[in-house]
Amino acid sequence: MMRELTLATLAATVERNATVIVDFWAPWCTTCLRFSPIFTDVAQQFDDVVFATVNTDEEQELAGIMGVRSLPTLVGFRNGKHVFAKSGLTTRRQLGEIIDEIRTLTPEQE
């Protein structure tokens, strides 16, 4: 499932879904534009994960709160907790491995 997140929708999204992966991007970021189809393709492989995007030009406050300093940045949440962050281009394989790791975290590891 793919959706756009804002500061107003972030908390409810991460609290209501077991696993959420967020792509922080900007329209001027060429690496972000290269990563976008990868993110979309991988999203189709995981029905139990919410994939979300945040346009940092429009959501500067949210990007600041999440500590986003470079783009693209992936942020992962598990059971409402922030458990992962990575900046830079990510391959399909790497993204799949990241998601698998996040999905299998136990409450003690979160």
Side-chain angles (χ1 to χ4, degrees), residues 6-90:
T6 65
L7 182 58
T9 61
L10 175 70
T13 300
V14 300
E15 290 169 8
R16 292 182 184 148
N17 297 282
T19 306
V20 179
I21 306 296
V22 184
D23 173 25
F24 286 84
W25 69 285
W28 48 263
C29 169
T30 57
T31 305
C32 299
L33 299 176
R34 286 181 39 217
F35 178 64
S36 180
I38 294 169
F39 193 70
T40 301
D41 287 348
V42 173
Q44 295 173 5
Q45 300 171 23
F46 294 91
D47 293 337
D48 62 325
V49 176
V50 172
F51 287 78
T53 61
V54 174
N55 180 336
T56 58
D57 283 354
E58 296 173 1
E59 291 292 327
Q60 293 178 11
E61 184 177 0
L62 177 54
I65 290 168
M66 295 305 302
V68 174
R69 302 268 185 261
S70 62
L71 299 175
T73 292
L74 285 175
V75 175
F77 295 89
R78 180 72 181 162
N79 296 323
K81 296 177 184 170
H82 179 265
V83 296
F84 177 83
K86 176 192 180 296
S87 296
L89 187 61
T90 303

Side-chain angles (χ1 to χ4, degrees), residues 88-106:
L89 187 61
T90 303
T91 66
R92 281 177 178 78
R93 189 177 117 236
Q94 289 169 330
L95 182 54
E97 290 170 356
I98 291 165
I99 293 164
D100 285 339
E101 284 183 36
I102 292 171
R103 287 168 59 209
T104 58
L105 288 174
T106 62

